[in-house]
Amino acid sequence: MVQRTAQYERAVHRYELNAAVRRSIIGGLDLPVDPDLVDDDQPLFGRGLELDSLDTLEIVSLMEEDFGVYITDEQRFVFGSVNKLVDFAEASQPALDGA
Amino acid sequence: MERALTAAELTHRLPHRHPFVLLDGLHSIVPGVSGVGVKNISISDPVFAGHFPGQPIYPGVLLIEAAAQACGVIATDSEVIEDQTSIGYLATVKRFAFKELVVPGDQLMIQCARHVSLGSLIEFKCTVLVGKRIVAEGSVAISIGLGAGR
């Protein structure tokens, strides 16, 4: 039986938050992709999910509406991958941080 | 500080011309953030010749265009965009819903408020009211770009 340490709980929380962000993006952008098949380190733009600048604005809108996270021009680095988005979300929105 | 623009002043701020200037005024302007467009629906509007004969109903697509014109002016207001050759292009339309018919005699108040922005893109939430009734609502994104040498 797995011991439910604080570290384990945090890993589970992070796994679920990543999944929620993937579902929000894939659903919000109506992409023909299974959210579970998107790698958390996969690039969102270019050869990744092939998103464009209008999709970027929609991700900003989705993160604000679904997670209460506001992304500004200075934080464009967060669009690198789902993991970068969630790292930023946890850092900027304490309620999302499972620690 | 809140500002207001008359129909005549709007023609200096919009690239559109008759018959496609759809706003009669814009007030409560907070540059780059929000404002309220005014649109009077008149039976003399040529669109009613065909939409529809004997049953004049203002087209929903023109409600979106009127909201986009209001957002375009708010987004490129002189207090936030120094280069006044910039204009706002309609980039996306999201979840617009038409809840009641708009007919001649109605006066539309088009409330526009910035939701999110990134770079030259700004998304506004728009609520179109006749009196206290919401007749349409949805979001539009405006892309700020260079005009064609107005």
Side-chain angles (χ1 to χ4, degrees):
Chain A
M1 184 178 165
V2 177
Q3 191 178 358
R4 298 179 74 85
T5 61
Q7 193 175 14
Y8 174 85
E9 294 289 351
R10 178 160 170 67
V12 170
H13 174 81
R14 174 66 185 228
Y15 177 84
E16 290 173 348
L17 187 53
N18 276 26
V21 168
R22 285 198 307 270
R23 284 196 301 272
S24 174
I25 292 173
I26 300 298
L29 296 177
D30 199 22
L31 298 176
V33 179
D34 183 340
D36 293 333
L37 297 182
V38 175
D39 189 278
D40 288 334
D41 290 313
Q42 179 178 342
L44 299 178
F45 296 89
R47 287 182 295 173
L49 288 178
E50 298 186 346
L51 305 184
D52 60 23
S53 59
L54 293 177
D55 295 323
T56 315
L57 184 69
E58 182 60 19
I59 291 174
V60 174
S61 178
L62 289 166
M63 291 300 289
E64 196 270 335
E65 289 177 353
D66 293 350
F67 302 100
V69 173
Y70 198 87
I71 301 166
T72 67
D73 284 329
E74 289 71 39
Q75 291 136 3
R76 285 172 176 266
F77 62 89
V78 304
F79 299 115
S81 66
V82 169
N83 264 331
K84 287 181 179 172
L85 264 174
V86 175
D87 285 346
F88 175 74
E90 287 188 321
S92 63
Q93 179 60 275
L96 294 175
D97 190 346
Chain B
M1 194 178 88
E2 291 188 1
R3 301 194 302 118
L5 294 169
T6 64
E9 290 168 332
L10 279 167
T11 62
H12 298 294
R13 301 297 318 284
L14 288 166
H16 311 66
R17 291 294 177 264
H18 177 78
F20 217 65
V21 179
L22 299 185
L23 294 177
D24 293 310
L26 184 62
H27 64 78
S28 305
I29 304 168
V30 178
V33 178
S34 62
V36 180
V38 180
K39 167 72 179 167
N40 297 308
I41 307 297
S42 169
I43 189 64
S44 63
D45 190 319
V47 75
F48 291 124
H51 199 278
F52 301 101
Q55 189 187 0
I57 296 170
Y58 198 71
V61 69
L62 294 184
L63 297 179
I64 296 174
E65 173 61 25
Q69 289 184 12
C71 294
V73 173
I74 295 164
T76 59
D77 190 274
S78 58
E79 291 189 19
V80 286
I81 302 293
E82 206 168 278
D83 178 4
Q84 280 302 281
T85 60
S86 294
I87 60 174
Y89 297 98
L90 178 59
T92 65
V93 177
K94 193 168 77 176
R95 290 196 285 271
F96 238 93
F98 307 99
K99 298 170 182 295
E100 293 196 28
L101 297 180
V102 173
V103 298
D106 285 345
Q107 183 179 60
L108 308 178
M109 292 293 168
I110 307 167
Q111 298 176 341
C112 309
R114 184 177 66 189
H115 176 216
V116 292
S117 64
L118 196 72
S120 62
L121 289 166
I122 306 176
E123 183 179 287
F124 289 88
K125 288 193 170 181
C126 305
T127 305
V128 185
L129 297 122
V130 174
K132 292 182 178 177
R133 293 180 293 122
I134 296 175
V135 296
E137 59 185 347
S139 299
V140 298
I142 298 297
S143 174
I144 300 171
L146 291 177
R150 281 185 296 135

